[in-house]
Amino acid sequence: MKKCSILLLGVMFSLAGCSGEANNNVVKVYNWGDYIDESTNRMFEEETGIKVIYEVFPTNEEMYAKVSNGNATYDVLIPSDYMIEKMINEELLTKIDMTKIQNYQEIDDDFKNLPYDINNEYSVPYTWGTMGIVYNTSMIDEEIDEWADMWNPKYENQIFMYDSERDAIMVALKKLGYSMNTKDPSQLEQAKQELIAQKPLVLAYVGDEGKGKMENGEAAMMLAWAGDAELMIGNNPDLKYVIPKEGTNYFVDAMVIPKNSENYDNALKYIDFMCRPDIAALNMEYIGYSTPSSAARELLPDEMKNSEVAYPDLDLINKEMFTDPSSMLETYSRIWTEVKAASK
Amino acid sequence: MNRKYLITPYALWSFIFVIVPLFLLVIYSFVKTVDGQVIFSLESYTKFFDPLYIDVLLRSLRLAFITTIICFIMAYPLAMILNSREFSNKTMILILIILPMWMNSLMRTYAWMILLENKGVINNILNFFGLPTKQFLYSEGSIIFGMIYNFFPFMILPIYTSLTKIDNHLIEASYDLGANKILTFRKIIFPLSFPGVITGVIMVFMPSLTTFMITRLLGGGQVILIGNMIEEQFTRTNNWGFGSALSMILMGIILVSIMFFSKNETLAKGGSLI
């Protein structure tokens, strides 16, 4: 889900070329980097004759920065739950005519009526997943099953944290037994102290480059998204993914249509197409994340279909979803700067 | 008279891509939004005067300063060697210096990451010979290393250029008048190459002060520099005001340091890239 900084550069340069499109029969899609099997875009073009103009973003916040000021117009966006909530609140999204999305029935009930879009008016789920710890069983003998393990001095300089304030603070809050959406200053202060205390043990705060390093055994454990973990385990069977018992972040990335979309009907067709089980299966097989559609899951190869990494029993996890963080961003940023500025 | 119009495309170019963005930066840094109303505010600047952020700035200045000094110490003798008459392979060496610049610096930094990792190429070789793994990455040292590697050409090229422009007759005259090598260097060669040195210093100091990619890749995100802070304001915190104010402060620092260096009149004369 969180994609890397190199893409940022790529996106910035590709911006220059995206204006002045003369062709009317297009759909402009803005998605996470490396978050689709691009052949499905070609298939959509062949089936419908609608040209897909495809761009990528590295974080929800960057997507928001670009879309919210109205300078860029897209037809389909694929942000995460809390960002959808924020965009609905700010009236940046338009309602989706679900009667036109025939494949919406393929989406499981678990992924309908979620808090960010309680009446299923604005969004159609694309993927979902959890965050947890990936660890290397050839370097760690014991069972890792809680966030506190990332604070174990035994693993000094063997831990990769994610270079993202929100995810790091989530981990610290969960370790302390608090809600990751807390706005309580004293709880956040404790989380900050936890992260500063953890710093001497952390080898590096990584972005996407951490995945390859982890596969190579550069570190013994790493904070990771389930989808990334799935791919990493595919490359190194010694790795194992665990959802810590203190609880974790559970996210849904969903397709939405921004208010200033110029090709509403094409957007509906695109969303419908991406929900089709065979297409969804192609995408999930490529990106490694989990599909919200059982029909699509059935079409996946066995090891993916039955993967406990990608499809944990949702009832057993102590899970929480991020809510709109807008009012907290300054606080998170300050906490993170303090953690980063602390001496190792 | 007509020739004046030839400047129009360049003027237009700098207006659109330099003046306008700069202007936006100034505006963003001086306003804030309250209840949908955009009002004038110095908040972004006052926010900066916090020991936390000052500390980040000082650290960035320190690392940029160390990088610049080391680059200079390495580059000047090499430029002298390249410029000496006895040395015949200068084209080869110059090409070797410039060649890596044909590749994207991000890729080169990634390459260093792979070489220097704990499980990287160099450590594998060390281990092969029975030597223990040495942790090269994830520290201030590795950030400085990455900056020196990336910005070294910007130091050597202007110094070399300014050395080549020195009229040999001046040096010969110096010897004829009885000066030894050291005195000639001090009184003739170094002062005449000074514009190149200034350019080199500026060209290394500026990108070192503002880098954010090297900090992340080679520093393992362990250290936060002012470049990272600015990036974060725009990409994650969505506080463009503070990000702009930080950029303005940084530009101010760079401007002051350039003015400080260029007080020396030689900058106005040839040999300089600026």
Side-chain angles (χ1 to χ4, degrees):
Chain A
M1 169 159 131
K2 310 284 167 178
K3 293 295 161 179
C4 63
S5 51
I6 330 167
L7 286 170
L8 189 154
L9 295 172
V11 171
M12 279 178 358
F13 288 120
S14 68
L15 291 185
C18 75
S19 54
E21 194 63 49
N23 190 348
N24 283 329
N25 202 16
V26 297
V27 59
K28 293 186 185 169
V29 182
Y30 201 25
N31 190 4
W32 295 89
D34 208 14
Y35 210 45
I36 196 171
D37 179 343
E38 293 223 26
S39 69
T40 58
N41 280 342
R42 303 287 87 77
M43 290 162 77
F44 177 76
E45 288 179 339
E46 269 171 37
E47 281 191 26
T48 62
I50 300 167
K51 188 171 170 359
V52 179
I53 299 174
Y54 189 77
E55 287 176 35
V56 298
F57 55 84
T59 65
N60 277 309
E61 284 65 30
E62 253 160 89
M63 181 281 304
Y64 173 80
K66 205 172 146 200
V67 171
S68 62
N69 62 21
N71 288 338
T73 56
Y74 295 99
D75 303 312
V76 178
L77 310 171
I78 312 189
S80 308
D81 36 53
Y82 71 90
M83 185 52 76
I84 295 172
E85 179 189 344
K86 178 180 162 89
M87 293 177 87
I88 292 174
N89 289 341
E90 294 179 10
E91 298 184 355
L92 289 168
L93 302 181
T94 193
K95 287 187 182 175
I96 295 176
D97 183 353
M98 292 296 177
T99 59
K100 299 273 175 57
I101 313 282
Q102 278 148 15
N103 289 311
Y104 189 62
Q105 60 186 25
E106 305 287 354
I107 306 289
D108 297 354
D109 287 341
D110 276 348
F111 302 97
K112 290 180 179 165
N113 306 97
L114 289 168
Y116 63 87
D117 180 15
I118 195 77
N119 296 318
N120 305 317
E121 290 172 317
Y122 293 94
S123 64
V124 176
Y126 178 66
T127 53
W128 66 279
T130 55
M131 191 165 226
I133 303 173
V134 168
Y135 67 101
N136 192 326
T137 51
S138 72
M139 297 162 83
I140 294 178
D141 296 329
E142 60 184 331
E143 190 89 1
I144 299 293
D145 62 352
E146 52 183 5
W147 291 121
D149 289 324
M150 295 193 99
W151 270 259
N152 187 339
K154 217 160 79 178
Y155 304 118
E156 183 179 0
N157 276 336
Q158 295 187 53
I159 298 169
F160 277 159
M161 279 296 277
Y162 211 77
D163 192 0
S164 144
E165 52 268 58
R166 201 151 190 226
D167 299 314
I169 293 169
M170 180 278 285
V171 170
L173 286 169
K174 285 288 174 193
K175 174 178 183 274
L176 292 161
Y178 300 136
S179 159
M180 66 198 197
N181 292 310
T182 185
K183 294 184 175 170
D184 180 337
S186 82
Q187 293 182 352
L188 285 163
E189 174 65 26
Q190 288 175 54
K192 182 184 89 187
Q193 295 304 338
E194 286 287 341
L195 290 171
I196 291 174
Q198 186 201 25
K199 194 174 182 188
L201 308 178
V202 174
L203 180 62
Y205 297 90
V206 293
D208 265 8
E209 76 278 5
K211 290 184 268 178
K213 287 176 180 241
M214 191 66 202
E215 286 167 14
N216 283 333
E218 182 82 0
M221 66 171 94
M222 173 181 173
L223 183 60
W225 298 101
D228 293 340
E230 177 87 19
L231 296 183
M232 284 154 72
I233 293 167
N235 291 331
N236 181 352
D238 284 342
L239 298 179
K240 202 172 161 188
Y241 177 78
V242 61
I243 296 171
K245 59 188 180 197
E246 297 106 319
T248 192
N249 168 18
Y250 147 78
F251 73 86
V252 173
D253 287 345
M255 295 177 276
V256 297
I257 305 179
K259 208 153 228 175
N260 60 3
S261 159
E262 288 162 352
N263 306 289
Y264 182 76
D265 291 329
N266 289 351
L268 292 177
K269 284 181 195 160
Y270 186 83
I271 293 173
D272 189 36
F273 185 79
M274 287 299 153
C275 288
R276 223 172 74 189
D278 57 325
I279 301 300
L282 272 177
N283 281 330
M284 295 311 125
E285 199 177 333
Y286 178 83
I287 65 180
Y289 281 84
S290 321
T291 171
S293 153
S294 297
R297 187 178 162 189
E298 278 308 312
L299 298 173
L300 290 172
D302 280 348
E303 75 269 18
M304 276 187 125
K305 180 166 69 187
N306 303 323
S307 158
E308 282 178 25
V309 174
Y311 301 99
D313 188 340
L314 278 175
D315 299 330
L316 296 182
I317 315 168
N318 182 2
K319 61 188 190 299
E320 192 179 0
M321 202 171 256
F322 274 128
T323 57
D324 180 4
S326 315
S327 62
M328 298 306 291
L329 289 179
E330 289 287 317
T331 315
Y332 293 153
S333 169
R334 184 167 173 108
I335 290 175
W336 198 231
T337 308
E338 284 189 45
V339 171
K340 286 297 195 70
S343 57
K344 192 176 145 101
Chain B
M1 284 307 276
N2 264 340
R3 277 204 242 158
K4 240 181 172 175
Y5 296 109
L6 288 175
I7 204 171
T8 316
Y10 304 105
L12 207 64
W13 176 274
S14 0
F15 181 75
I16 296 173
F17 293 106
V18 181
I19 308 290
V20 172
L22 212 59
F23 187 67
L24 287 177
L25 213 57
V26 174
I27 292 182
Y28 271 118
S29 72
F30 280 113
V31 298
K32 73 171 178 182
T33 315
V34 182
D35 304 328
Q37 292 276 316
V38 179
I39 55 163
F40 175 83
S41 158
L42 286 173
E43 196 184 287
S44 299
Y45 288 93
T46 47
K47 184 178 173 180
F48 174 76
F49 292 98
D50 175 316
L52 177 65
Y53 301 129
I54 301 281
D55 194 49
V56 172
L57 177 65
L58 290 179
R59 188 198 303 259
S60 310
L61 284 168
R62 180 165 56 82
L63 295 192
F65 188 72
I66 295 171
T67 303
T68 310
I69 296 286
I70 297 178
C71 275
F72 171 71
I73 292 172
M74 283 170 29
Y76 204 96
L78 183 57
M80 295 273 290
I81 293 169
L82 286 178
N83 191 42
S84 72
R85 239 175 286 167
E86 300 95 74
F87 193 75
S88 56
N89 271 342
K90 68 178 70 164
T91 324
M92 189 67 194
I93 301 282
L94 279 175
I95 287 177
L96 284 177
I97 290 168
I98 297 170
L99 198 66
M101 294 170 79
W102 296 358
M103 262 174 285
N104 184 299
S105 70
L106 189 63
M107 298 231 288
R108 284 182 281 135
T109 307
Y110 255 93
W112 273 114
M113 193 175 82
I114 291 164
L115 285 172
L116 296 174
E117 278 174 350
N118 290 352
K119 292 281 159 70
V121 176
I122 293 174
N123 270 317
N124 278 342
I125 294 172
L126 286 180
N127 292 344
F128 178 78
F129 290 108
L131 297 162
T133 298
K134 169 102 180 78
Q135 185 180 316
F136 297 108
L137 288 184
Y138 320 120
S139 65
E140 281 191 0
S142 55
I143 295 173
I144 292 174
F145 174 83
M147 294 200 290
I148 293 172
Y149 169 76
N150 266 309
F151 306 136
F152 181 70
F154 299 129
M155 181 68 87
I156 183 138
L157 294 177
I159 295 180
Y160 172 72
T161 313
S162 64
L163 284 175
T164 54
K165 283 190 178 164
I166 296 175
D167 188 345
N168 253 321
H169 294 111
L170 292 174
I171 296 166
E172 283 160 16
S174 166
Y175 291 143
D176 288 347
L177 293 170
N180 62 14
K181 282 199 164 182
I182 293 168
L183 194 63
T184 307
F185 177 77
R186 267 181 44 216
K187 294 283 185 190
I188 308 289
I189 300 178
F190 190 72
L192 285 175
S193 70
F194 200 63
V197 173
I198 295 295
T199 307
V201 166
I202 292 171
M203 302 261 296
V204 172
F205 189 73
M206 278 195 300
S208 305
L209 192 56
T210 52
T211 185
F212 60 92
M213 157 198 100
I214 295 171
T215 332
R216 182 179 304 158
L217 292 181
L218 298 183
Q222 290 279 11
V223 179
I224 185 169
L225 298 184
I226 190 111
N228 303 82
M229 252 173 71
I230 294 174
E231 188 213 1
E232 180 173 303
Q233 302 310 316
F234 286 97
T235 59
R236 292 205 284 237
T237 311
N238 209 16
N239 187 346
W240 289 27
F242 189 43
S244 303
L246 287 172
S247 306
M248 295 296 295
I249 290 165
L250 201 55
M251 275 193 286
I253 291 169
I254 289 171
L255 204 65
V256 168
S257 42
I258 289 179
M259 274 160 48
F260 170 77
F261 283 125
S262 58
K263 257 202 318 201
N264 194 315
E265 273 178 62
T266 45
L267 189 61
K269 296 173 187 160
S272 159
L273 285 181
I274 288 183

